[in-house]
Amino acid sequence: ARLGGNDFETALFGKEPALRDLFEQMALTHPLLVRVSGSGSAVIAIYRSEHERDNAASEIAGQRHRLIKTMTRREAAPGPES
């Protein structure tokens, strides 16, 4: 995960210092991965547990961005009824 990257990050960080600041703040919460998603519409971070995710969310809450907490399902979603 640490080897992943986004070619847009360097260009975006130069033009959008607030995005760079958010990225750096998220990196300080020790995620497994933090990256700009797509062309800069979002910053994502992946954590080992819900507890770590929630602690990180508390650390960066209340700033000028919207935080959406999600999680991966442990089991497959039910399929359509046959």
Side-chain angles (χ1 to χ4, degrees), residues 29-61:
T29 65
H30 307 291
L32 294 171
L33 172 75
V34 61
R35 284 287 164 244
V36 169
S37 178
S39 60
S41 58
V43 176
I44 63 166
I46 299 173
Y47 297 90
R48 292 184 199 280
S49 67
E50 289 178 61
H51 178 72
E52 288 183 15
R53 178 204 64 196
D54 292 346
N55 285 343
S58 294
E59 288 182 38
I60 62 172

PDB file of all heavy atoms in Angstrom, residues 29-61:
ATOM      1  N   THR A  29      -2.246  10.476  11.025  1.00  0.00           N
ATOM      2  CA  THR A  29      -3.113   9.582  11.806  1.00  0.00           C
ATOM      3  C   THR A  29      -2.712   8.115  11.619  1.00  0.00           C
ATOM      4  O   THR A  29      -3.394   7.230  12.105  1.00  0.00           O
ATOM      5  CB  THR A  29      -4.597   9.778  11.439  1.00  0.00           C
ATOM      6  OG1 THR A  29      -4.815   9.374  10.082  1.00  0.00           O
ATOM      7  CG2 THR A  29      -5.043  11.220  11.661  1.00  0.00           C
ATOM      8  N   HIS A  30      -1.639   7.863  10.880  1.00  0.00           N
ATOM      9  CA  HIS A  30      -1.038   6.534  10.694  1.00  0.00           C
ATOM     10  C   HIS A  30      -1.945   5.522   9.988  1.00  0.00           C
ATOM     11  O   HIS A  30      -2.097   4.397  10.459  1.00  0.00           O
ATOM     12  CB  HIS A  30      -0.553   5.972  12.035  1.00  0.00           C
ATOM     13  CG  HIS A  30       0.352   6.908  12.759  1.00  0.00           C
ATOM     14  ND1 HIS A  30       1.624   7.210  12.307  1.00  0.00           N
ATOM     15  CD2 HIS A  30       0.157   7.640  13.881  1.00  0.00           C
ATOM     16  CE1 HIS A  30       2.175   8.073  13.134  1.00  0.00           C
ATOM     17  NE2 HIS A  30       1.313   8.361  14.092  1.00  0.00           N
ATOM     18  N   PRO A  31      -2.507   5.903   8.846  1.00  0.00           N
ATOM     19  CA  PRO A  31      -3.285   4.919   8.092  1.00  0.00           C
ATOM     20  C   PRO A  31      -2.357   3.936   7.372  1.00  0.00           C
ATOM     21  O   PRO A  31      -1.145   4.191   7.237  1.00  0.00           O
ATOM     22  CB  PRO A  31      -4.033   5.787   7.079  1.00  0.00           C
ATOM     23  CG  PRO A  31      -3.107   6.929   6.831  1.00  0.00           C
ATOM     24  CD  PRO A  31      -2.445   7.191   8.165  1.00  0.00           C
ATOM     25  N   LEU A  32      -2.913   2.842   6.895  1.00  0.00           N
ATOM     26  CA  LEU A  32      -2.150   1.933   6.044  1.00  0.00           C
ATOM     27  C   LEU A  32      -1.848   2.608   4.716  1.00  0.00           C
ATOM     28  O   LEU A  32      -0.808   2.373   4.108  1.00  0.00           O
ATOM     29  CB  LEU A  32      -2.950   0.652   5.783  1.00  0.00           C
ATOM     30  CG  LEU A  32      -3.218  -0.234   6.990  1.00  0.00           C
ATOM     31  CD1 LEU A  32      -4.194  -1.339   6.615  1.00  0.00           C
ATOM     32  CD2 LEU A  32      -1.924  -0.804   7.528  1.00  0.00           C
ATOM     33  N   LEU A  33      -2.770   3.450   4.278  1.00  0.00           N
ATOM     34  CA  LEU A  33      -2.650   4.134   2.995  1.00  0.00           C
ATOM     35  C   LEU A  33      -3.398   5.447   3.063  1.00  0.00           C
ATOM     36  O   LEU A  33      -4.496   5.506   3.614  1.00  0.00           O
ATOM     37  CB  LEU A  33      -3.258   3.267   1.882  1.00  0.00           C
ATOM     38  CG  LEU A  33      -3.393   3.893   0.502  1.00  0.00           C
ATOM     39  CD1 LEU A  33      -2.022   3.961  -0.168  1.00  0.00           C
ATOM     40  CD2 LEU A  33      -4.343   3.080  -0.360  1.00  0.00           C
ATOM     41  N   VAL A  34      -2.825   6.493   2.517  1.00  0.00           N
ATOM     42  CA  VAL A  34      -3.536   7.757   2.314  1.00  0.00           C
ATOM     43  C   VAL A  34      -3.175   8.219   0.907  1.00  0.00           C
ATOM     44  O   VAL A  34      -2.016   8.231   0.522  1.00  0.00           O
ATOM     45  CB  VAL A  34      -3.212   8.828   3.393  1.00  0.00           C
ATOM     46  CG1 VAL A  34      -1.763   9.193   3.427  1.00  0.00           C
ATOM     47  CG2 VAL A  34      -4.067  10.074   3.185  1.00  0.00           C
ATOM     48  N   ARG A  35      -4.193   8.576   0.123  1.00  0.00           N
ATOM     49  CA  ARG A  35      -3.992   8.977  -1.265  1.00  0.00           C
ATOM     50  C   ARG A  35      -5.072   9.949  -1.689  1.00  0.00           C
ATOM     51  O   ARG A  35      -6.189   9.928  -1.175  1.00  0.00           O
ATOM     52  CB  ARG A  35      -4.076   7.777  -2.211  1.00  0.00           C
ATOM     53  CG  ARG A  35      -2.870   6.903  -2.207  1.00  0.00           C
ATOM     54  CD  ARG A  35      -1.728   7.599  -2.930  1.00  0.00           C
ATOM     55  NE  ARG A  35      -0.480   6.955  -2.631  1.00  0.00           N
ATOM     56  CZ  ARG A  35       0.530   7.512  -1.988  1.00  0.00           C
ATOM     57  NH1 ARG A  35       0.471   8.741  -1.575  1.00  0.00           N
ATOM     58  NH2 ARG A  35       1.629   6.863  -1.761  1.00  0.00           N
ATOM     59  N   VAL A  36      -4.735  10.754  -2.683  1.00  0.00           N
ATOM     60  CA  VAL A  36      -5.733  11.547  -3.383  1.00  0.00           C
ATOM     61  C   VAL A  36      -6.450  10.565  -4.306  1.00  0.00           C
ATOM     62  O   VAL A  36      -5.809   9.738  -4.958  1.00  0.00           O
ATOM     63  CB  VAL A  36      -5.073  12.681  -4.188  1.00  0.00           C
ATOM     64  CG1 VAL A  36      -6.062  13.344  -5.118  1.00  0.00           C
ATOM     65  CG2 VAL A  36      -4.450  13.701  -3.251  1.00  0.00           C
ATOM     66  N   SER A  37      -7.748  10.634  -4.337  1.00  0.00           N
ATOM     67  CA  SER A  37      -8.533   9.724  -5.166  1.00  0.00           C
ATOM     68  C   SER A  37      -8.879  10.397  -6.485  1.00  0.00           C
ATOM     69  O   SER A  37      -9.298  11.555  -6.510  1.00  0.00           O
ATOM     70  CB  SER A  37      -9.810   9.337  -4.421  1.00  0.00           C
ATOM     71  OG  SER A  37     -10.603   8.508  -5.220  1.00  0.00           O
ATOM     72  N   GLY A  38      -8.692   9.673  -7.555  1.00  0.00           N
ATOM     73  CA  GLY A  38      -9.013  10.208  -8.870  1.00  0.00           C
ATOM     74  C   GLY A  38      -8.165  11.421  -9.184  1.00  0.00           C
ATOM     75  O   GLY A  38      -6.969  11.426  -8.974  1.00  0.00           O
ATOM     76  N   SER A  39      -8.801  12.467  -9.655  1.00  0.00           N
ATOM     77  CA  SER A  39      -8.065  13.680 -10.029  1.00  0.00           C
ATOM     78  C   SER A  39      -8.103  14.735  -8.934  1.00  0.00           C
ATOM     79  O   SER A  39      -7.845  15.894  -9.189  1.00  0.00           O
ATOM     80  CB  SER A  39      -8.644  14.247 -11.329  1.00  0.00           C
ATOM     81  OG  SER A  39     -10.011  14.557 -11.147  1.00  0.00           O
ATOM     82  N   GLY A  40      -8.431  14.344  -7.724  1.00  0.00           N
ATOM     83  CA  GLY A  40      -8.377  15.276  -6.611  1.00  0.00           C
ATOM     84  C   GLY A  40      -9.711  15.588  -5.976  1.00  0.00           C
ATOM     85  O   GLY A  40      -9.819  16.499  -5.172  1.00  0.00           O
ATOM     86  N   SER A  41     -10.721  14.808  -6.314  1.00  0.00           N
ATOM     87  CA  SER A  41     -12.033  15.088  -5.741  1.00  0.00           C
ATOM     88  C   SER A  41     -12.158  14.584  -4.306  1.00  0.00           C
ATOM     89  O   SER A  41     -13.071  14.986  -3.593  1.00  0.00           O
ATOM     90  CB  SER A  41     -13.124  14.445  -6.598  1.00  0.00           C
ATOM     91  OG  SER A  41     -12.911  13.050  -6.702  1.00  0.00           O
ATOM     92  N   ALA A  42     -11.244  13.711  -3.881  1.00  0.00           N
ATOM     93  CA  ALA A  42     -11.309  13.171  -2.523  1.00  0.00           C
ATOM     94  C   ALA A  42      -9.924  12.724  -2.073  1.00  0.00           C
ATOM     95  O   ALA A  42      -9.053  12.432  -2.877  1.00  0.00           O
ATOM     96  CB  ALA A  42     -12.272  11.992  -2.477  1.00  0.00           C
ATOM     97  N   VAL A  43      -9.770  12.677  -0.763  1.00  0.00           N
ATOM     98  CA  VAL A  43      -8.589  12.076  -0.155  1.00  0.00           C
ATOM     99  C   VAL A  43      -9.105  10.867   0.612  1.00  0.00           C
ATOM    100  O   VAL A  43     -10.081  10.968   1.352  1.00  0.00           O
ATOM    101  CB  VAL A  43      -7.867  13.057   0.794  1.00  0.00           C
ATOM    102  CG1 VAL A  43      -6.705  12.386   1.486  1.00  0.00           C
ATOM    103  CG2 VAL A  43      -7.404  14.287   0.037  1.00  0.00           C
ATOM    104  N   ILE A  44      -8.462   9.711   0.413  1.00  0.00           N
ATOM    105  CA  ILE A  44      -8.890   8.502   1.108  1.00  0.00           C
ATOM    106  C   ILE A  44      -7.794   8.039   2.062  1.00  0.00           C
ATOM    107  O   ILE A  44      -6.617   8.289   1.838  1.00  0.00           O
ATOM    108  CB  ILE A  44      -9.232   7.366   0.130  1.00  0.00           C
ATOM    109  CG1 ILE A  44      -7.992   6.948  -0.679  1.00  0.00           C
ATOM    110  CG2 ILE A  44     -10.376   7.768  -0.783  1.00  0.00           C
ATOM    111  CD1 ILE A  44      -8.149   5.647  -1.418  1.00  0.00           C
ATOM    112  N   ALA A  45      -8.216   7.376   3.118  1.00  0.00           N
ATOM    113  CA  ALA A  45      -7.278   6.748   4.046  1.00  0.00           C
ATOM    114  C   ALA A  45      -7.860   5.407   4.449  1.00  0.00           C
ATOM    115  O   ALA A  45      -9.071   5.277   4.631  1.00  0.00           O
ATOM    116  CB  ALA A  45      -7.063   7.625   5.277  1.00  0.00           C
ATOM    117  N   ILE A  46      -6.987   4.421   4.569  1.00  0.00           N
ATOM    118  CA  ILE A  46      -7.406   3.074   4.949  1.00  0.00           C
ATOM    119  C   ILE A  46      -6.729   2.734   6.270  1.00  0.00           C
ATOM    120  O   ILE A  46      -5.518   2.909   6.422  1.00  0.00           O
ATOM    121  CB  ILE A  46      -7.014   2.053   3.864  1.00  0.00           C
ATOM    122  CG1 ILE A  46      -7.713   2.421   2.558  1.00  0.00           C
ATOM    123  CG2 ILE A  46      -7.363   0.633   4.304  1.00  0.00           C
ATOM    124  CD1 ILE A  46      -7.277   1.598   1.367  1.00  0.00           C
ATOM    125  N   TYR A  47      -7.538   2.238   7.209  1.00  0.00           N
ATOM    126  CA  TYR A  47      -7.059   1.917   8.553  1.00  0.00           C
ATOM    127  C   TYR A  47      -7.246   0.434   8.842  1.00  0.00           C
ATOM    128  O   TYR A  47      -8.063  -0.231   8.228  1.00  0.00           O
ATOM    129  CB  TYR A  47      -7.804   2.763   9.594  1.00  0.00           C
ATOM    130  CG  TYR A  47      -7.547   4.232   9.406  1.00  0.00           C
ATOM    131  CD1 TYR A  47      -8.364   5.000   8.595  1.00  0.00           C
ATOM    132  CD2 TYR A  47      -6.452   4.841  10.000  1.00  0.00           C
ATOM    133  CE1 TYR A  47      -8.102   6.348   8.381  1.00  0.00           C
ATOM    134  CE2 TYR A  47      -6.186   6.189   9.805  1.00  0.00           C
ATOM    135  CZ  TYR A  47      -7.016   6.929   8.994  1.00  0.00           C
ATOM    136  OH  TYR A  47      -6.748   8.254   8.784  1.00  0.00           O
ATOM    137  N   ARG A  48      -6.499  -0.063   9.809  1.00  0.00           N
ATOM    138  CA  ARG A  48      -6.569  -1.475  10.187  1.00  0.00           C
ATOM    139  C   ARG A  48      -7.897  -1.848  10.836  1.00  0.00           C
ATOM    140  O   ARG A  48      -8.329  -2.991  10.749  1.00  0.00           O
ATOM    141  CB  ARG A  48      -5.457  -1.820  11.173  1.00  0.00           C
ATOM    142  CG  ARG A  48      -4.082  -1.768  10.608  1.00  0.00           C
ATOM    143  CD  ARG A  48      -3.054  -2.231  11.658  1.00  0.00           C
ATOM    144  NE  ARG A  48      -1.722  -1.790  11.318  1.00  0.00           N
ATOM    145  CZ  ARG A  48      -0.936  -2.373  10.432  1.00  0.00           C
ATOM    146  NH1 ARG A  48      -1.368  -3.422   9.795  1.00  0.00           N
ATOM    147  NH2 ARG A  48       0.264  -1.899  10.185  1.00  0.00           N
ATOM    148  N   SER A  49      -8.513  -0.910  11.524  1.00  0.00           N
ATOM    149  CA  SER A  49      -9.730  -1.237  12.273  1.00  0.00           C
ATOM    150  C   SER A  49     -10.663  -0.028  12.312  1.00  0.00           C
ATOM    151  O   SER A  49     -10.248   1.102  12.047  1.00  0.00           O
ATOM    152  CB  SER A  49      -9.367  -1.635  13.708  1.00  0.00           C
ATOM    153  OG  SER A  49      -8.844  -0.511  14.409  1.00  0.00           O
ATOM    154  N   GLU A  50     -11.901  -0.303  12.675  1.00  0.00           N
ATOM    155  CA  GLU A  50     -12.871   0.784  12.849  1.00  0.00           C
ATOM    156  C   GLU A  50     -12.403   1.726  13.961  1.00  0.00           C
ATOM    157  O   GLU A  50     -12.586   2.939  13.862  1.00  0.00           O
ATOM    158  CB  GLU A  50     -14.244   0.225  13.207  1.00  0.00           C
ATOM    159  CG  GLU A  50     -14.934  -0.486  12.069  1.00  0.00           C
ATOM    160  CD  GLU A  50     -16.263  -1.055  12.500  1.00  0.00           C
ATOM    161  OE1 GLU A  50     -17.147  -0.260  12.905  1.00  0.00           O
ATOM    162  OE2 GLU A  50     -16.407  -2.284  12.440  1.00  0.00           O
ATOM    163  N   HIS A  51     -11.816   1.159  14.995  1.00  0.00           N
ATOM    164  CA  HIS A  51     -11.325   1.968  16.118  1.00  0.00           C
ATOM    165  C   HIS A  51     -10.274   2.971  15.646  1.00  0.00           C
ATOM    166  O   HIS A  51     -10.355   4.165  15.969  1.00  0.00           O
ATOM    167  CB  HIS A  51     -10.759   1.050  17.199  1.00  0.00           C
ATOM    168  CG  HIS A  51     -10.181   1.775  18.372  1.00  0.00           C
ATOM    169  ND1 HIS A  51     -10.963   2.422  19.304  1.00  0.00           N
ATOM    170  CD2 HIS A  51      -8.891   1.978  18.748  1.00  0.00           C
ATOM    171  CE1 HIS A  51     -10.182   2.987  20.206  1.00  0.00           C
ATOM    172  NE2 HIS A  51      -8.917   2.727  19.892  1.00  0.00           N
ATOM    173  N   GLU A  52      -9.297   2.510  14.863  1.00  0.00           N
ATOM    174  CA  GLU A  52      -8.272   3.419  14.338  1.00  0.00           C
ATOM    175  C   GLU A  52      -8.887   4.453  13.403  1.00  0.00           C
ATOM    176  O   GLU A  52      -8.514   5.622  13.430  1.00  0.00           O
ATOM    177  CB  GLU A  52      -7.174   2.632  13.622  1.00  0.00           C
ATOM    178  CG  GLU A  52      -6.287   1.858  14.558  1.00  0.00           C
ATOM    179  CD  GLU A  52      -5.156   1.143  13.843  1.00  0.00           C
ATOM    180  OE1 GLU A  52      -4.872   1.461  12.668  1.00  0.00           O
ATOM    181  OE2 GLU A  52      -4.552   0.256  14.471  1.00  0.00           O
ATOM    182  N   ARG A  53      -9.830   4.020  12.582  1.00  0.00           N
ATOM    183  CA  ARG A  53     -10.516   4.951  11.672  1.00  0.00           C
ATOM    184  C   ARG A  53     -11.254   6.028  12.459  1.00  0.00           C
ATOM    185  O   ARG A  53     -11.151   7.219  12.150  1.00  0.00           O
ATOM    186  CB  ARG A  53     -11.506   4.180  10.794  1.00  0.00           C
ATOM    187  CG  ARG A  53     -12.306   5.069   9.849  1.00  0.00           C
ATOM    188  CD  ARG A  53     -13.623   4.457   9.437  1.00  0.00           C
ATOM    189  NE  ARG A  53     -14.493   4.300  10.598  1.00  0.00           N
ATOM    190  CZ  ARG A  53     -15.561   3.520  10.601  1.00  0.00           C
ATOM    191  NH1 ARG A  53     -15.887   2.800   9.540  1.00  0.00           N
ATOM    192  NH2 ARG A  53     -16.325   3.435  11.671  1.00  0.00           N
ATOM    193  N   ASP A  54     -11.981   5.611  13.495  1.00  0.00           N
ATOM    194  CA  ASP A  54     -12.750   6.569  14.283  1.00  0.00           C
ATOM    195  C   ASP A  54     -11.852   7.532  15.048  1.00  0.00           C
ATOM    196  O   ASP A  54     -12.160   8.719  15.163  1.00  0.00           O
ATOM    197  CB  ASP A  54     -13.695   5.833  15.239  1.00  0.00           C
ATOM    198  CG  ASP A  54     -14.803   5.089  14.497  1.00  0.00           C
ATOM    199  OD1 ASP A  54     -15.015   5.352  13.289  1.00  0.00           O
ATOM    200  OD2 ASP A  54     -15.440   4.228  15.136  1.00  0.00           O
ATOM    201  N   ASN A  55     -10.735   7.046  15.566  1.00  0.00           N
ATOM    202  CA  ASN A  55      -9.776   7.936  16.239  1.00  0.00           C
ATOM    203  C   ASN A  55      -9.231   8.964  15.260  1.00  0.00           C
ATOM    204  O   ASN A  55      -9.104  10.152  15.592  1.00  0.00           O
ATOM    205  CB  ASN A  55      -8.630   7.141  16.852  1.00  0.00           C
ATOM    206  CG  ASN A  55      -9.037   6.404  18.106  1.00  0.00           C
ATOM    207  OD1 ASN A  55     -10.056   6.696  18.712  1.00  0.00           O
ATOM    208  ND2 ASN A  55      -8.230   5.432  18.492  1.00  0.00           N
ATOM    209  N   ALA A  56      -8.892   8.514  14.056  1.00  0.00           N
ATOM    210  CA  ALA A  56      -8.381   9.432  13.041  1.00  0.00           C
ATOM    211  C   ALA A  56      -9.441  10.469  12.673  1.00  0.00           C
ATOM    212  O   ALA A  56      -9.141  11.659  12.539  1.00  0.00           O
ATOM    213  CB  ALA A  56      -7.948   8.659  11.802  1.00  0.00           C
ATOM    214  N   ALA A  57     -10.679  10.027  12.533  1.00  0.00           N
ATOM    215  CA  ALA A  57     -11.769  10.941  12.198  1.00  0.00           C
ATOM    216  C   ALA A  57     -11.922  12.008  13.276  1.00  0.00           C
ATOM    217  O   ALA A  57     -12.148  13.181  12.974  1.00  0.00           O
ATOM    218  CB  ALA A  57     -13.074  10.163  12.017  1.00  0.00           C
ATOM    219  N   SER A  58     -11.764  11.617  14.535  1.00  0.00           N
ATOM    220  CA  SER A  58     -11.859  12.582  15.635  1.00  0.00           C
ATOM    221  C   SER A  58     -10.734  13.608  15.574  1.00  0.00           C
ATOM    222  O   SER A  58     -10.937  14.782  15.880  1.00  0.00           O
ATOM    223  CB  SER A  58     -11.801  11.854  16.981  1.00  0.00           C
ATOM    224  OG  SER A  58     -12.936  11.046  17.143  1.00  0.00           O
ATOM    225  N   GLU A  59      -9.550  13.158  15.165  1.00  0.00           N
ATOM    226  CA  GLU A  59      -8.403  14.063  15.095  1.00  0.00           C
ATOM    227  C   GLU A  59      -8.554  15.130  14.018  1.00  0.00           C
ATOM    228  O   GLU A  59      -8.078  16.247  14.188  1.00  0.00           O
ATOM    229  CB  GLU A  59      -7.121  13.271  14.820  1.00  0.00           C
ATOM    230  CG  GLU A  59      -6.639  12.464  15.984  1.00  0.00           C
ATOM    231  CD  GLU A  59      -5.347  11.730  15.682  1.00  0.00           C
ATOM    232  OE1 GLU A  59      -4.481  12.317  14.990  1.00  0.00           O
ATOM    233  OE2 GLU A  59      -5.202  10.585  16.125  1.00  0.00           O
ATOM    234  N   ILE A  60      -9.206  14.798  12.907  1.00  0.00           N
ATOM    235  CA  ILE A  60      -9.301  15.760  11.807  1.00  0.00           C
ATOM    236  C   ILE A  60     -10.699  16.341  11.641  1.00  0.00           C
ATOM    237  O   ILE A  60     -10.939  17.102  10.719  1.00  0.00           O
ATOM    238  CB  ILE A  60      -8.815  15.147  10.477  1.00  0.00           C
ATOM    239  CG1 ILE A  60      -9.674  13.963  10.080  1.00  0.00           C
ATOM    240  CG2 ILE A  60      -7.357  14.764  10.564  1.00  0.00           C
ATOM    241  CD1 ILE A  60      -9.372  13.443   8.692  1.00  0.00           C
ATOM    242  N   ALA A  61     -11.612  16.024  12.538  1.00  0.00           N
ATOM    243  CA  ALA A  61     -12.994  16.511  12.446  1.00  0.00           C
ATOM    244  C   ALA A  61     -13.075  18.019  12.639  1.00  0.00           C
ATOM    245  O   ALA A  61     -12.205  18.625  13.251  1.00  0.00           O
ATOM    246  CB  ALA A  61     -13.858  15.809  13.484  1.00  0.00           C
TER     247      ALA A  61
END
